[in-house]
Amino acid sequence: MTAITVLVIAVALIAVVTLAKAVRIVPQQRQDVVERLGKYKRTLNPGLNLLVPFIDAVRTKVDMREQVVSFPPQPVITSDNLVVSIDTVLYFKVVDSVRATYEISNFLQAIEQLTVTTLRNVIGSLDLERALTSREEINRHLSGVLDETTGRWGIKVTRVEIKAIEPPPSIRDSMEKQMRAERDRRAAILNAEGHKQSQILTAEGEKQAAVLRADGDRQARILQAEGQAKAIRTVFDAIHQANPSQKVLAYQYLQALPQIANGTANKVWIVPAELTKALEGMGGALGGLSQMVGDAPSPEASDGASAVEREAAEAAQAAAAAAQQIHDEVRVAEAQVTGGQQQGLPAPEPVSPASLVEDPADQRERG
């Protein structure tokens, strides 16, 4: 009974092991290479697959997904004899699992060594500055060489990227100084150009402002001259239309005398002794001028003649008082200068307001 039990257990174990070796489940995106008695038999695709127990065996399990491999930094010498360290990243996928298994023993190591040698050939033909600025060109060259070589191994290189190019520390310091100097030069140039443009704009603005001020001054002077000319024509026309008499002209003169006497710049007044005769001469001159233009007033001005005569009489009285005051001041000043030793000017005859507004022709007739 014991022997039979052991035999049954052994048969069951053999059946289980046989079933396990006969049934193979392959996951998605993987292929298994099967050998029969050491010779390639077939490739198992994803799913349930049956094998001959103890005769068929799985040689390799190949991952068909795209893979990413980052290689360690490699020292590379450029054409100008500078050693740079370059990091690369490789993207590839297996397209033929049979060739990837039998054409090369370790395709990943082969790809790494091929990448390093190709990179050294490419970088060796470039100087440092071009190597730093030609990454796209280096990537395309590496991709072409690797894809052509790894195609025999059933591998497709999809992309090669230069992750970093590290020059020596001394070269980095020199490059930083060079870039700093270049940036300082550009900043100085931009600052000078901005200052130049600012000065140009300021000069143009001052020029336009000066032109506009000169134009405004010219127009203002033209308008002022035109206004003065118009005012003179208006006064001239009004005088001719009003036809003023001698009394009106004498009245206007007497109105101006207090303003002349009140001037702040008048320091010395020379008053003639015969002030009455001087006023008579002035009245005679004004009378002659009025006779030249016609002494008879116009009908429009006859209504206000009486009012004008009254105002003329009042102005004459004010002018006579001002003249008498000025004469007294002159006498006092003369007495102070001579110290009372010399005889002063003879006192003028009193001036009556009526004599200032009286017609000089009548005075001559009475004289």
Side-chain angles (χ1 to χ4, degrees), residues 21 47 49 55 83 86 94 100 108 146-147 184 207 222 225 228:
K21 287 186 173 292
N49 296 275
I55 297 177
V83 180
I86 300 180
V94 178
L108 188 59
L146 292 175
D147 188 42
D184 293 340
K207 175 183 175 182
I222 291 174
Q228 291 178 355

Side-chain angles (χ1 to χ4, degrees), residues 297-306:
S298 60
E300 292 81 359
S302 60
D303 297 336
S306 59

Side-chain angles (χ1 to χ4, degrees), residues 107-181:
F107 64 84
L108 188 59
Q109 184 180 3
I111 291 174
E112 180 181 359
Q113 296 301 321
L114 182 60
T115 303
V116 171
T117 54
T118 306
L119 188 62
R120 288 178 178 175
N121 292 332
V122 175
I123 298 298
S125 61
L126 304 174
D127 56 5
L128 178 60
E129 185 176 358
R130 188 177 176 187
L132 293 174
T133 58
S134 303
R135 294 193 178 189
E136 291 295 332
E137 182 181 353
I138 297 173
N139 293 337
R140 288 194 300 268
H141 195 279
L142 287 175
S143 298
V145 173
L146 292 175
D147 188 42
E148 181 181 358
T149 305
T150 58
R152 302 192 306 269
W153 305 337
I155 297 172
K156 174 68 175 176
V157 176
T158 57
R159 190 175 182 85
V160 180
E161 289 290 341
I162 302 295
K163 186 166 61 174
I165 300 178
E166 296 292 338
S170 60
I171 301 300
R172 288 201 300 268
D173 293 340
S174 300
M175 294 173 62
E176 290 177 359
K177 292 179 181 178
Q178 181 181 0
M179 293 303 298
R180 190 179 301 112

Side-chain angles (χ1 to χ4, degrees), residues 259-269:
Q259 297 179 0
I260 296 174
N262 293 330
T264 57
N266 296 332
K267 302 301 181 182
V268 179
W269 277 81

Side-chain angles (χ1 to χ4, degrees), residues 213-349:
R213 283 195 297 267
D215 190 18
D217 190 15
R218 180 180 64 85
Q219 293 182 2
R221 291 184 178 182
I222 291 174
L223 293 176
Q224 185 178 5
E226 291 178 353
Q228 291 178 355
K230 186 176 180 181
I232 291 172
R233 286 196 301 268
T234 302
V235 172
F236 185 77
D237 294 340
I239 291 174
H240 280 275
Q241 290 178 3
N243 194 9
S245 63
Q246 177 187 0
K247 296 179 180 181
V248 175
L249 295 177
Y251 170 67
Q252 293 292 331
Y253 173 74
L254 292 175
Q255 281 187 335
L257 283 178
Q259 297 179 0
I260 296 174
N262 293 330
T264 57
N266 296 332
K267 302 301 181 182
V268 179
W269 277 81
I270 299 175
V271 180
E274 298 295 331
L275 180 60
T276 306
K277 295 182 179 181
L279 292 176
E280 286 183 9
M282 185 66 68
L286 295 177
L289 179 62
S290 63
Q291 290 177 2
M292 293 175 62
V293 299
D295 188 46
S298 60
E300 292 81 359
S302 60
D303 297 336
S306 59
V308 171
E309 290 178 356
R310 288 193 300 271
E311 292 180 1
E314 296 175 358
Q317 293 177 0
Q324 184 64 33
Q325 182 180 359
I326 292 171
H327 178 68
D328 295 339
E329 292 178 357
V330 171
R331 298 288 293 176
V332 172
E334 183 180 359
Q336 292 177 356
V337 171
T338 57
Q341 296 178 1
Q342 297 180 0
Q343 186 178 359
L345 296 176
E349 297 178 1

